[in-house]
Amino acid sequence: MIGGHVAQFSVALTDTVMLGWYSVDALAAVVLGTQIFFLAFILGSGFAFAVMPMVAEAFAQNDETSIRRTTRMGMWLSVIYAVVMLPLFWWSQPVLVALGQDPDLSASAQDYLRVMGIGLIPALLVMVLKSYMAALEHTRVVFWITVAAAVINAFVNYALIFGNWGAPELGIIGAAIASLSVQGVMIAGAIAYTLIKLPEHDLFSRLWRPDFDAMTRVFRIGVPIGLTTLAEVGLFAAGALMMGWLGTIELAAHGIAINLAGLMFMVHLGLGNAATVRAGNALGRRDIDQLAAGARTGIWMSLIFAVFSIIVFVTQKEWLISLFLDPNDPNFDAIVTTGAAFLIAAAIFQFVDGAQALALSVLRGIMDTRVPMIMATISYWVVGVPVSYIAGFWLGWGGVGIWVGLALGLAVAALLLMWRFWKVMVPRLRDSAVPV
């Protein structure tokens, strides 16, 4: 599962690296565009994240009917949501300009998003099918499908961004077309595997028929998950917007640093997904001791990896930043210096970012989503965003101050969510021995 997330993230990482080689303006524009896309994508992914613990619980109970109904309605809700969101991508330039971004960068970001918006439908469907397969412990195929897509993305990027191999030079539009191609490959692979290897669930037969009871259950669990994840991604999007107020150099450096931090976060996310599945299985068997043991294991593994990522960021910061840039670019030195400072801040919050991710994951595994949504939103937006603004602008700390605010918001979320799981939910489940 970690490998699948790393491969998935490498798609966006490849876009960032190649556009950084192409031009700093293209890099800054894709940072803006990617933030908008992922805000929409993450909110819609709540339905896919809801499918994972629900299918895991049904799997533990050998309830194939519930597996089928849950997954189908996860796909229904994902498609409906993607269609509703398309206008945001098509008219994104006025939104970005209203948020204080440079008009030229906003126009380039809109060009990118008009192509990426089409890919939201297959992207969300892939998320649902990946959650379904992960809950059934078919994780290896998820990894290989994602790896194949990442390789294709790199080749198509190289051709269309720079105009290599006789292809037109499309710059940022080429990166968007490559990403759209990747989504097509992934959905085709996921559907093919499901039809061949999991025919007993008959997912696509009578897919056109709505199942309002199952849809309601997925919606009720999925919306708080989506809003929670949106609040977290929105925290980082707010950081990117504030970086844009500081200038193109800061925004480009932030984009590189956030991609590197995000790459490390994929490990925590994979561990969290595994914890979600194990928690759902344990809940289905009513085995609370195993639920607690699985959560402890995931948290310790996350902490160990956080130490590793801190060492890498602190000791290799300049080299890591330089990988994303053309050495001949006139802004090379300025971006490396600025980005290296941001990586120090990113290293600091590796602990808290992993901890809050694991806490959210195990809470999702036991279908506890509404209270964690409130806790996370308060942490990110009542603490994180205001502190970022105060430290970055009032105190004059610039981009580093913005990163300090991000770290503090994540730290508060980690503390509240860990308390919720260990001090509230585990005792409650022990007392009741039934789902809450």
Side-chain angles (χ1 to χ4, degrees), residues 186-206:
M186 292 181 69
I187 189 63
I191 290 173
Y193 182 86
T194 300
L195 291 173
I196 295 169
K197 295 294 186 180
L198 297 165
E200 65 272 18
H201 296 146
D202 201 18
L203 282 186
F204 303 102
S205 176
R206 298 183 300 279

Side-chain angles (χ1 to χ4, degrees), residues 116-145:
M116 290 293 290
I118 300 170
L120 186 62
I121 294 174
L124 291 176
L125 287 174
V126 167
M127 284 293 294
V128 173
L129 292 176
K130 285 169 65 175
S131 293
Y132 155 77
M133 289 186 282
L136 300 176
E137 302 187 9
H138 287 251
T139 54
R140 186 172 299 175
V141 64
V142 173
F143 169 72
W144 285 116
I145 288 173

Side-chain angles (χ1 to χ4, degrees), residues 61-188:
Q61 298 171 342
N62 296 314
D63 186 352
E64 292 188 357
T65 300
S66 291
I67 291 174
R68 176 170 56 252
R69 294 175 66 195
T70 297
T71 308
R72 282 179 176 175
M73 290 306 100
M75 290 190 284
W76 263 69
L77 288 168
S78 296
V79 171
I80 293 169
Y81 169 84
V83 172
V84 169
M85 294 302 293
L86 282 176
L88 171 64
F89 296 107
W90 196 258
W91 289 289
S92 53
Q93 182 184 10
V95 176
L96 290 168
V97 171
L99 292 170
Q101 301 306 303
D102 178 82
D104 291 335
L105 289 180
S106 298
S108 295
Q110 178 176 268
D111 292 339
Y112 176 78
L113 286 168
R114 284 182 171 179
V115 179
M116 290 293 290
I118 300 170
L120 186 62
I121 294 174
L124 291 176
L125 287 174
V126 167
M127 284 293 294
V128 173
L129 292 176
K130 285 169 65 175
S131 293
Y132 155 77
M133 289 186 282
L136 300 176
E137 302 187 9
H138 287 251
T139 54
R140 186 172 299 175
V141 64
V142 173
F143 169 72
W144 285 116
I145 288 173
T146 312
V147 167
V151 171
I152 292 170
N153 178 70
F155 278 102
V156 179
N157 260 335
Y158 187 70
L160 295 182
I161 291 176
F162 302 99
N164 291 313
W165 303 323
E169 182 182 339
L170 299 178
I172 194 170
I173 300 298
I177 293 172
S179 295
L180 181 59
S181 302
V182 162
Q183 300 302 339
V185 170
M186 292 181 69
I187 189 63

